Amino acid sequence: MDPILKVEDLAISFGNNNVLKNVNFELYDNEILGIIGPNGAGKTVLLNILTGTLKPTSGRVTFMGKDILGVRIDERARLGFGRTFQVPRSFENMTAYENVMASAICGGQTTQREAAKRAEEILEFIGLEDKALVLAGSLKLLDKKRLEIGIALAPHPKVLMFDEVAGGLTESEISNILDIVKSLKIHGYSIIWIEHVIQTMLNGTDRVLLLADGYDIICDLPQIVLDSNEVEKVYLGVRKK
Amino acid sequence: MSIIEAKLNGIASQTGKVKIIVAAIILIIMGTLPFWGSGYMTNVFLLIFLYMSIGMMWNLLSGYAGLTSLGQQAFIGIGGYSVAVLTQVYGLSLIWGFAVGSVVGVVFALVISMPIFKMNGAYFTIGTWIIAEALYIFFVKWEFVNYGIGYPITAAYGIPMWGLYLASFIVGIGSIVIVTLLLKSRLGLTLMAMRDDSGAAEVRGVKLYRTKLICYLIAAFWVTITGCLLFLNQAYIVPSSAFTIDWTIACVFIVIIGGIGTIEGPIVGAVIYVFLRQILYGFPGISNIILGIIAIIIIIVAPKGIMGYLNNKFNLDIFSIRRRIKR
């Protein structure tokens, strides 16, 4: 089976700082790929390259058989890339409902009527229907994170990218997010999920990629990666005897 | 539907009716002002509507599209000169001045958009200013527009006061209608998203360039029309009054104190600005300093402007821009 997204020899540097040196991975249809790595490993940079806000120094990104590195940011959204931001970037002076509508209209090219219908479905799915008419800027963190997912989902994307959607949440809130992600898989989405919370990676992903020192160190089933020597070395700086 | 929801919907439709009645009363009072008010009041409100129009358009650009221009005077000057040249030099009727002016304004906007849309933030702001200044220098040296001497606009003498007032009233209210309809349309959600976070909006699929250009052209068109009326009211045009940055400074003051990124802001701002200017005629030389101090105080007390503050505090939605869930 052809991967839906393929990243080859990806590298990016800022001045002398080579953040990504050579990163390769594939995302298959209806797969949840977790990405872990220490702070500064370049996980968010990777997402920014995929969505187009950063241009890589070299490498290739193929999405459904098409090279997309020359494609504009907004066009990528319309092609089927949906993402969340680590620090939520919902539109703060708009209501939750309008946030989702705006995303459906811009990324999904829908009419206002279709967008309104989609927004109602999504707010119910992410459990924000009772806060639909609250300004996004006055939502609590968990609700903001949920809304981020809702905004990303609105235009029916093919690939969802989550940048630490569980970061900063309590344990029960994390399981709440985990439920949402699991049902997204049932709905057929393919997901790239960056996270520090190991529990979510173990329970919520199909494969996990370890990103460190600018390379894709290991990519395998979650349990295998988390038990590996490489993870221990990267996170603790020691090697198992 | 629960009883509470039914009641809430009832209240919503009632406030809708109240709004329509209040708006109708205000429009009738304002629209008939020249027939019952004093000449002085008519002139003051004429200016309020014209300043409201240019403030509204500046707010569309800076408050929503992220295009902070200091060059809106270019379009006001183009409007004024179109009326002056076509009526004085060619002896055509006023309607030609408006028609040709608006076409020239939009074409000029389209041409300069190519270089200046490549600039971002402060560079865009400086770019628009430089173009307007260049236009001023060009007009001073251009024989076709009678150099720096300018023209009297004698066609203005043939218009009754109420005629000029009604035209200004239509342009002022028209600017509110244009921006309200724009924000209620599909593009409106895009504009509000850009206002709140243009970077995130682009990641969500907003075509930034296209959306900005649409706003820029709409503003160019309406500001040029307003410029025609501003100079018909003055009945004389010279490059230094046509292309002065004072026009845009007025826009900035109106929008900042009224509330940037709100529809109500420029309306309130224009009323305050024009009345303040009337009072400040008694303090020549220091009137700009006083305006500046007032602006600074308002920015410190209410950073989002008067209407931004009131909207937040009382959760107002006077122009019903908010999308409501229909059941």
Side-chain angles (χ1 to χ4, degrees), chain B:
Chain B
M1 198 194 299
S2 73
I3 301 163
I4 299 166
E5 270 180 77
K7 270 191 178 169
L8 280 176
N9 282 349
I11 292 167
S13 70
Q14 261 182 358
T15 54
K17 272 179 205 154
V18 171
K19 264 187 204 173
I20 291 170
I21 293 167
V22 171
I25 292 170
I26 293 174
L27 285 180
I28 290 168
I29 294 175
M30 285 290 114
T32 56
L33 180 69
F35 306 110
W36 55 264
S38 68
Y40 174 74
M41 262 342 244
T42 306
N43 203 17
V44 166
F45 275 91
L46 179 150
L47 285 176
I48 286 177
F49 286 119
L50 293 179
Y51 277 100
M52 186 189 293
S53 169
I54 59 173
M56 209 60 151
M57 290 301 145
W58 195 81
N59 183 41
L60 174 65
L61 295 181
S62 184
Y64 289 95
L67 295 168
T68 302
S69 163
L70 278 182
Q72 289 304 89
Q73 63 272 25
F75 302 107
I76 292 173
I78 286 172
Y81 264 103
S82 299
V83 167
V85 170
L86 287 165
T87 59
Q88 290 305 121
V89 181
Y90 293 98
L92 294 169
S93 71
L94 273 173
I95 201 80
W96 281 101
F98 283 85
V100 172
S102 53
V103 171
V104 173
V106 171
V107 171
F108 183 72
L110 199 60
V111 171
I112 64 170
S113 74
M114 292 171 209
I116 60 171
F117 272 47
K118 290 202 163 65
M119 307 176 204
N120 276 324
Y123 296 100
F124 174 85
T125 306
I126 296 165
T128 54
W129 186 12
I130 288 173
I131 285 171
E133 281 296 303
L135 214 53
Y136 161 67
I137 295 166
F138 184 73
F139 269 62
V140 168
K141 312 215 169 201
W142 195 15
E143 188 189 357
F144 180 65
V145 298
N146 206 14
Y147 305 110
I149 305 155
Y151 289 110
I153 306 175
T154 48
Y157 305 140
I159 315 170
M161 188 61 188
W162 62 266
L164 196 57
Y165 175 85
L166 279 186
S168 308
F169 173 74
I170 291 167
V171 163
I173 301 298
S175 72
I176 302 174
V177 173
I178 290 172
V179 174
T180 308
L181 289 181
L182 205 57
L183 290 180
K184 284 192 179 189
S185 75
R186 207 169 155 267
L187 196 70
L189 285 169
T190 306
L191 281 172
M192 288 186 254
M194 279 169 66
R195 170 196 66 190
D196 286 358
D197 186 338
S198 69
E202 195 176 20
V203 171
R204 303 300 174 209
V206 173
K207 296 169 186 163
L208 288 183
Y209 188 96
R210 183 172 153 270
T211 314
K212 285 179 177 187
L213 186 61
I214 291 171
C215 292
Y216 196 64
L217 295 182
I218 291 173
F221 175 70
W222 209 251
V223 171
T224 310
I225 299 273
T226 314
C228 298
L229 288 171
L230 280 166
F231 279 96
L232 272 179
N233 187 45
Q234 296 194 356
Y236 202 97
I237 191 164
V238 286
S240 60
S241 68
F243 297 105
T244 170
I245 196 173
D246 288 355
W247 294 118
T248 305
I249 289 175
C251 294
V252 177
F253 183 86
I254 287 167
V255 173
I256 300 279
I257 64 162
I260 194 163
T262 69
I263 298 186
E264 303 84 5
I267 303 173
V268 173
V271 173
I272 295 174
Y273 176 78
V274 174
F275 273 109
L276 270 178
R277 285 298 294 261
Q278 300 304 313
I279 298 164
L280 291 175
Y281 275 129
F283 304 89
I286 58 163
S287 65
N288 272 340
I289 297 174
I290 297 173
L291 276 181
I293 291 170
I294 291 170
I296 290 168
I297 291 170
I298 291 179
I299 290 167
I300 291 170
V301 177
K304 289 178 177 171
I306 293 168
M307 288 316 295
Y309 175 78
L310 293 178
N311 282 351
N312 274 7
K313 187 148 189 179
F314 301 108
N315 202 10
L316 298 177
D317 181 24
I318 297 171
F319 287 91
S320 306
I321 297 303
R322 287 258 168 267
R323 269 50 172 190
R324 309 208 172 275
I325 298 175
K326 296 181 189 87
R327 303 267 179 212

Side-chain angles (χ1 to χ4, degrees), chain A residues 15 50 84 97 128 157 193 202:
Chain A
L50 294 179
T84 70
Y97 180 60
L128 270 187
W193 192 1
L202 261 179

